[in-house]
């Protein structure tokens, strides 16, 4: 509370008395009209307040996005493979590349199709709104199909992309993540594991870092894939993580590849300070 000096208090009291006299002189009908206008103005005030927060307190602002006609180069499937995890369950992965340097897809909808020996469809998995992916300009992305139950072992897998909207975006910041102290191998009488220290080598807070882990054999064939998420990584923070495979890996693992990604197409993907992040999430809860 601000304590006003005596002179200011007297001036304030004089103003209050003056306003009271003016209000008393206002005709009753006009006073009622003004009161109604003030009541109707409250929702507008709330909307303006929300707009203020939206403009000034939303942290990272994604690059401007302009939807364009689908005349872009098609996404390229660099690799696709399925894996058995026992009990008639199979999962699959695909490595997808976007050859367009200035075009992105904000919601990437796709289908995984497990096929039989004659190419017939045995099982189809379709991504939903909540499981759809995205892809940034010039980015390579890893798509995963969760375990699916089949009575007949599949012979192959293919990936189809449903209708997706291409968006032209301005330059996107390049984020850098470093992985150190990598260890991997089958634990004694236990599952295969990979552990490492992930370092956020950026001046930003990253609320959600999506991380795909790929295992390769000596022929550079993918023999295992897994996925995890690291939350709220501070600038230049190093964090230990450990990922387990539910079934043994077929073949000897020669090296491990980490594929980190952050969805820079949406607000709230990175922040420059904790206060900025707190303001953003406060706004989301309103």
């Amino acid at each position: 509370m601000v304590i006003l000096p005596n002179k200011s208090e007297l001036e304030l009291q004089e103003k209050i008395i003056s306003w009271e006299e003016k209000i008393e002189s206002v005709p009753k009908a006009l006073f009622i009209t003004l009161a109604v206008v003030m009541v109707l103005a409250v929702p507008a005030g709330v909307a303006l307040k929300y707009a203020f927060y939206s403009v000034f307190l939303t942290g990272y602002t994604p690059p401007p996005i302009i939807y364009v006609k689908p005349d872009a180069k098609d996404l390229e499937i660099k690799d696709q493979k399925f894996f058995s995890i026992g009990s008639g369950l199979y999962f699959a992965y695909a490595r997808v590349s976007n050859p367009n340097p200035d075009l992105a897809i904000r919601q990437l909808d796709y289908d995984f199709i497990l096929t039989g020996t004659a190419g017939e469809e045995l099982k189809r998995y379709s991504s939903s709104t909540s499981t759809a992916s995205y892809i940034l300009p010039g980015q390579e992305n890893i798509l995963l199909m969760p375990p699916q139950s089949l009575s007949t072992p599949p012979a192959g897998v293919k990936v189809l992309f449903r209708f997706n909207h291409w968006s032209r975006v301005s330059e996107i910041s390049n984020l850098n993540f470093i992985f150190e102290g990598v260890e991997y191998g089958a634990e004694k009488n236990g599952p295969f594991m990979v552990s490492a220290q992930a370092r956020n080598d950026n001046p930003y807070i990253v609320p959600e870092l999506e991380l795909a882990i790929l295992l390769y054999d000596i022929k550079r064939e993918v023999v295992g894939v897994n996925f995890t998420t690291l939350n709220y990584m501070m600038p230049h923070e190093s964090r230990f993580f450990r990922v387990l495979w539910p079934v043994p890996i077929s073949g000897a693992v020669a090296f491990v590849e980490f594929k980190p990604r952050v969805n820079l197409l949406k607000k709230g993907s990175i922040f420059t300070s904790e206060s900025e992040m707190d303001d953003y999430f406060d706004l989301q809860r309103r």
Side-chain angles (χ1 to χ4, degrees):
M1 181 181 291
V2 179
I3 301 177
L4 300 175
N6 291 335
K7 182 178 179 181
S8 297
E9 288 181 355
L10 291 175
E11 292 176 351
L12 182 61
Q13 290 176 3
E14 291 175 356
K15 289 181 179 180
I16 292 174
I17 293 173
S18 174
W19 275 105
E20 287 178 347
E21 291 174 349
K22 291 179 180 179
I23 290 174
E24 290 176 354
S25 64
V26 174
K28 185 175 181 181
L30 179 58
F31 186 83
I32 293 174
T33 301
L34 290 172
V36 171
V37 171
M38 291 177 66
V39 170
L40 293 176
V42 171
V46 172
L48 289 173
K49 181 180 179 182
Y50 181 84
F52 172 83
Y53 279 108
S54 297
V55 172
F56 294 101
L57 299 178
T58 52
Y60 166 74
T61 301
I65 294 177
I66 303 173
Y67 289 107
V68 298
K69 293 181 179 180
D71 56 352
K73 295 180 181 177
D74 293 337
L75 295 177
E76 300 172 356
I77 300 176
K78 298 295 187 180
D79 190 24
Q80 52 192 353
K81 193 171 184 178
F82 72 89
F83 302 87
S84 171
I85 57 177
S87 303
L89 294 175
Y90 300 85
F91 79 95
Y93 103 102
R95 184 194 293 265
V96 180
S97 178
N98 178 7
N100 302 285
D102 61 345
L103 297 177
I105 297 178
R106 300 190 69 180
Q107 180 173 318
L108 177 58
D109 297 309
Y110 56 91
D111 293 341
F112 274 95
I113 302 175
L114 295 172
T115 59
T117 54
E120 73 277 17
E121 181 177 323
L122 300 179
K123 189 81 171 186
R124 178 185 292 254
Y125 167 80
S126 298
S127 65
S128 62
T129 302
S130 60
T131 60
S133 188
Y134 60 90
I135 195 162
L136 303 178
Q139 183 194 59
E140 194 172 77
N141 204 349
I142 302 296
L143 303 179
L144 298 177
M145 180 192 78
Q148 305 293 311
S149 177
L150 279 83
S151 57
T152 302
V157 63
K158 58 183 179 181
V159 177
L160 300 178
F161 300 109
R162 301 200 296 276
F163 179 76
N164 291 292
H165 292 284
W166 285 101
S167 306
R168 193 176 305 280
V169 300
S170 61
E171 183 178 353
I172 291 181
S173 301
N174 290 321
L175 300 182
N176 188 36
F177 298 91
I178 298 173
F179 299 90
E180 303 169 313
V182 180
E183 294 185 359
Y184 59 89
E187 296 184 327
K188 185 177 181 180
N189 299 322
F192 190 92
M193 74 87 192
V194 171
S195 66
Q197 292 275 352
R199 177 151 56 93
N200 176 15
D201 197 34
N202 303 285
Y204 308 110
I205 300 171
V206 180
E208 183 178 56
L209 172 63
E210 301 169 279
L211 181 59
I213 304 101
L214 285 77
L215 308 179
Y216 293 85
D217 63 14
I218 194 66
K219 297 179 181 180
R220 299 188 68 86
E221 294 284 342
V222 174
V223 294
V225 182
N226 214 326
F227 182 86
T228 190
T229 301
L230 302 179
N231 294 318
Y232 299 104
M233 293 196 71
M234 303 303 290
H236 309 295
E237 175 192 355
S238 290
R239 185 179 300 177
F240 176 81
F241 68 92
R242 188 165 177 265
V243 180
L244 302 177
W245 267 252
V247 294
I249 302 299
S250 59
V253 176
F255 65 96
V256 178
E257 181 184 17
F258 300 100
K259 300 286 290 184
R261 66 174 188 167
V262 177
N263 188 359
L264 295 175
L265 298 174
K266 70 175 184 180
K267 291 185 178 181
S269 58
I270 57 175
F271 297 97
T272 56
S273 67
E274 289 187 71
S275 60
E276 185 181 65
M277 181 173 64
D278 292 341
D279 289 337
Y280 173 80
F281 287 111
D282 285 344
L283 179 62
Q284 301 306 301
R285 289 190 288 266
R286 292 176 187 274

